[in-house]
Amino acid sequence: MPSTPAKSEAQSAPPRSWYPVVGLGWLIPGAGYFLLKRPGRGALVLVSVLSMFLLGLMMRGVMFQPQTGDILTTVIYVGGFIGDLASGLLYLLTIWLGYAQPDVAGHVHDYGTKFLVAAGLLNILGMVDAYEIAIGKKD
Amino acid sequence: MPKMNLTHFEAAILFALFSSVVLGVITKRTDNERLRYGLRCFVYFVAALIGIGWLMHFGHG
């Protein structure tokens, strides 16, 4: 009788509810990892997302507002808005405290806008990774 | 909020650094593999930055 292959550590890890992991991970970048007892990875994601977001703000990047129109406008503005929103509490605090900047021409401001969106996208990557750990798909 | 003025190069290097850190963290299985993958991503970012920069330079004539 053939022996069954041993389960890997990832497969045998007990799955847990992913809602708090993903929800907290959205609100505070890297917090999902802390909830999963992986503080090193959480700290690296937190520092990276926070640094990128703050650099974007200091470069006077623009927060996207959702707009629809032709396909390119919709993709850029709605996509940019989702990217900004993915930073969680950082985005909300920026809006609530009035740090959102008006759109200004210039390469530094453009970079700032991209940094703000990229911070949110990096946080989404962290949330997906934490989700996969929470459901036992990864170790 | 203090204002920061970065050059294209500085901004792109910082972008590459933070992106590489997160890409390294979310992939691979061991810390050693994550570190190597993060470093490799950073090198690829910088190589693309310099390569595409020269392409644009020659493209503009």
Side-chain angles (χ1 to χ4, degrees):
Chain A
M1 184 176 172
S3 62
T4 54
K7 280 186 174 179
S8 71
E9 192 183 337
Q11 288 168 328
S12 62
R16 56 174 295 166
S17 175
W18 57 269
Y19 299 104
V21 172
V22 173
L24 200 64
W26 167 70
L27 204 58
I28 304 167
Y33 288 110
F34 285 102
L35 212 58
L36 294 166
K37 308 262 189 305
R38 279 147 177 99
R41 293 161 80 171
L44 282 171
V45 170
L46 174 63
V47 167
S48 297
V49 173
L50 185 64
S51 304
M52 208 163 218
F53 193 89
L54 289 178
L55 282 170
L57 274 187
M58 287 193 286
M59 286 191 269
R60 302 292 189 263
V62 179
M63 292 288 184
F64 282 100
Q65 296 298 318
Q67 284 180 32
T68 53
D70 60 277
I71 185 73
L72 197 59
T73 304
T74 305
V75 167
I76 290 172
Y77 283 89
V78 175
F81 174 70
I82 292 170
D84 285 338
L85 194 62
S87 296
L89 203 58
L90 296 171
Y91 171 79
L92 299 175
L93 283 175
T94 302
I95 298 295
W96 289 337
L97 299 177
Y99 283 112
Q101 305 291 322
D103 197 359
V104 184
H107 80 272
V108 178
H109 308 294
D110 276 348
Y111 262 114
T113 304
K114 272 66 175 180
F115 268 58
L116 290 171
V117 174
L121 297 181
L122 293 180
N123 194 31
I124 290 176
L125 288 178
M127 286 158 60
V128 170
D129 190 44
Y131 164 79
E132 289 185 336
I133 295 171
I135 63 169
K137 199 173 170 185
K138 282 175 82 173
D139 59 356
Chain B
M1 181 69 65
K3 191 174 181 187
M4 181 174 270
N5 276 315
L6 297 176
T7 63
H8 281 287
F9 186 71
E10 289 164 345
I13 289 288
L14 284 171
F15 187 96
L17 176 69
F18 295 126
S19 302
S20 302
V21 168
V22 174
L23 288 174
V25 165
I26 65 164
T27 52
K28 307 298 175 186
R29 298 182 71 87
T30 66
D31 287 345
N32 189 33
E33 285 175 340
R34 289 189 189 107
L35 178 65
R36 290 174 61 169
Y37 185 74
L39 280 173
R40 196 187 318 153
C41 283
F42 182 72
V43 170
Y44 287 161
F45 267 122
V46 175
L49 167 69
I50 293 170
I52 295 170
W54 276 108
L55 268 180
M56 287 192 285
H57 173 77
F58 289 123
H60 278 287

